[in-house]
């Protein structure tokens, strides 16, 4: 597939990522050296103020002069070792560093949602488009299979995909396997609030979904019916709707930013 550089250059998310990368380079006093090959380490007054602020956040008071000197000495030590580690290539092949940098890129792409303030019209539309997330007195009909840990649930889902009998998959638990027209309050009482909210978003259909975490462990869920109850007015749940909008918007922008960047690569996977 030929990469479309013109479309890439017009993509706002790419501009945002590039701008963010520049900001990280300039403000990288917390761990990103301006130039790892340089033998000069500069710590501005602003940097020192941020170090002092970090100390105050942890200790609940400003540092004394001696304590600030110690904080600065620790920062310089970390910076020296960081630069030398880069020169030695110690970051190459490090799974922890790789994952952390990937997470920072995701965070950078998603952070645009935090800067936006959706108006009431946008939130009302969000509320109407996702009634299952906010409706009161919603009822759920579903079957679930319990597992003590997530890895076992993943294996169980694979077995189900191969045609295994669902009643013979899973670990013992003192809960019924079937729930019929159960309210979210009942589901929350049995599985916990997080599970009740999560299952409210599971697609209705014959496929097993999950794993979904509960207060007890992990579950595969097959939701066969969901009846939305009364949808509250936006004014009553505005903060909740906005929080949901921000979380979903951040996820979608992270995915969109990744797609733009991914299109610039050719990936060859040996089979």
């Amino acid at each position: 597939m030929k990469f479309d550089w013109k479309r890439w250059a017009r993509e706002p998310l790419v501009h945002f990522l590039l701008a963010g990368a520049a900001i990280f380079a300039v403000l990288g006093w917390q761990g990103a050296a301006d130039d790892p090959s340089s033998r000069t380490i500069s710590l501005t007054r602003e940097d020192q103020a941020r170090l002092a602020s970090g100390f105050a956040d942890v200790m609940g008071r400003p540092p004394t002069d001696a304590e600030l000197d110690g904080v600065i000495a620790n920062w310089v030590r970390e910076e020296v070792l960081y630069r030398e580690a880069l020169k030695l290539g110690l970051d190459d092949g490090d799974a922890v560093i790789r994952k952390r940098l990937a997470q920072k890129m995701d965070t950078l792409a998603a952070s645009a949602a935090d800067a936006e303030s959706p108006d009431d019209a946008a939130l009302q539309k969000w509320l109407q488009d996702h009634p299952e997330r906010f409706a009161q007195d919603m009822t759920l009909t579903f079957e679930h299979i319990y597992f003590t840990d997530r890895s076992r649930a993943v294996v169980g889902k694979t077995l189900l995909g191969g045609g295994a009998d669902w009643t013979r998959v899973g670990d013992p638990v003192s809960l019924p396997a079937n729930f019929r027209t159960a309210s979210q309050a009942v589901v929350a009482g049995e599985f916990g609030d997080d599970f009740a909210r999560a299952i409210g978003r599971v697609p209705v259909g014959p496929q097993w979904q999950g794993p979904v975490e509960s207060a007890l462990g992990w579950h595969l869920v097959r939701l066969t019916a969901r009846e939305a109850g009364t949808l509250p007015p936006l004014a009553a749940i505005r903060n909740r709707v906005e929080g949901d909008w921000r979380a979903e918007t951040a996820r979608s922008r992270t995915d969109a930013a990744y797609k733009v960047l991914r299109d610039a690569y050719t990936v060859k996977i040996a089979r």
Side-chain angles (χ1 to χ4, degrees), residues 201-220:
R201 304 179 184 185
V202 167
V204 175
Q207 300 299 319
W208 288 97
Q209 307 291 334
V212 179
E213 188 175 13
S214 77
L216 304 172
W218 294 85
H219 307 257
L220 298 179

Side-chain angles (χ1 to χ4, degrees), residues 138-142 179-182 184 187 196 199-200 223 225-226:
M138 177 189 298
T139 61
L140 304 162
T141 298
F142 66 95
F179 283 79
R180 296 285 178 261
T181 59
Q184 276 197 305
V187 175
I199 195 175
L223 187 64
R226 175 173 50 224

Side-chain angles (χ1 to χ4, degrees), residues 22-235:
I23 291 171
F24 275 123
V26 173
L27 301 179
W29 64 276
Q30 281 189 318
D34 292 331
D35 180 4
S37 65
S38 173
R39 291 293 179 180
T40 300
I41 295 175
S42 299
L43 192 65
T44 67
R45 292 287 187 183
E46 291 76 12
D47 293 336
Q48 295 175 55
R50 284 192 288 265
L51 290 173
S53 177
F55 179 97
D57 288 343
V58 174
M59 301 301 295
R61 60 173 177 80
T64 64
D65 289 345
E67 287 170 334
L68 182 57
D69 287 343
V71 171
I72 291 173
N74 286 336
W75 183 90
V76 171
R77 180 180 188 276
E78 183 181 78
E79 184 70 12
V80 168
L81 295 177
Y82 172 73
R83 294 190 185 194
E84 293 302 316
L86 290 181
K87 290 178 186 177
L88 293 173
L90 298 184
D91 56 322
D92 292 341
D94 189 307
V96 174
I97 292 177
R98 172 189 171 96
K99 184 175 290 294
R100 183 167 178 79
L101 291 177
Q103 289 171 341
K104 281 192 173 184
M105 289 296 289
D106 275 344
T107 300
L108 184 61
S111 62
D114 292 334
E116 292 188 33
S117 296
D119 58 21
D120 284 355
L123 293 180
Q124 182 63 46
K125 184 177 186 305
W126 190 263
L127 178 61
Q128 296 294 335
D129 289 346
H130 304 89
E132 74 281 358
R133 303 185 183 185
F134 308 103
Q136 296 173 343
D137 304 321
M138 177 189 298
T139 61
L140 304 162
T141 298
F142 66 95
E143 298 154 338
H144 77 99
I145 309 172
Y146 169 75
F147 298 87
T148 55
D149 59 65
R150 191 180 190 282
S151 61
R152 290 176 61 80
V154 171
V155 172
K157 192 172 184 179
T158 301
L159 294 175
L160 293 172
D165 180 357
W166 75 274
T167 62
R168 297 181 178 274
V169 177
D171 300 320
V173 64
S174 58
L175 282 174
N178 301 281
F179 283 79
R180 296 285 178 261
T181 59
S183 68
Q184 276 197 305
V186 168
V187 175
E190 296 285 2
F191 298 88
D193 290 337
D194 290 342
F195 180 92
R197 282 191 292 268
I199 195 175
R201 304 179 184 185
V202 167
V204 175
Q207 300 299 319
W208 288 97
Q209 307 291 334
V212 179
E213 188 175 13
S214 77
L216 304 172
W218 294 85
H219 307 257
L220 298 179
V221 177
R222 182 163 60 187
L223 187 64
T224 55
R226 175 173 50 224
E227 295 294 334
T230 304
L231 200 61
L234 175 63

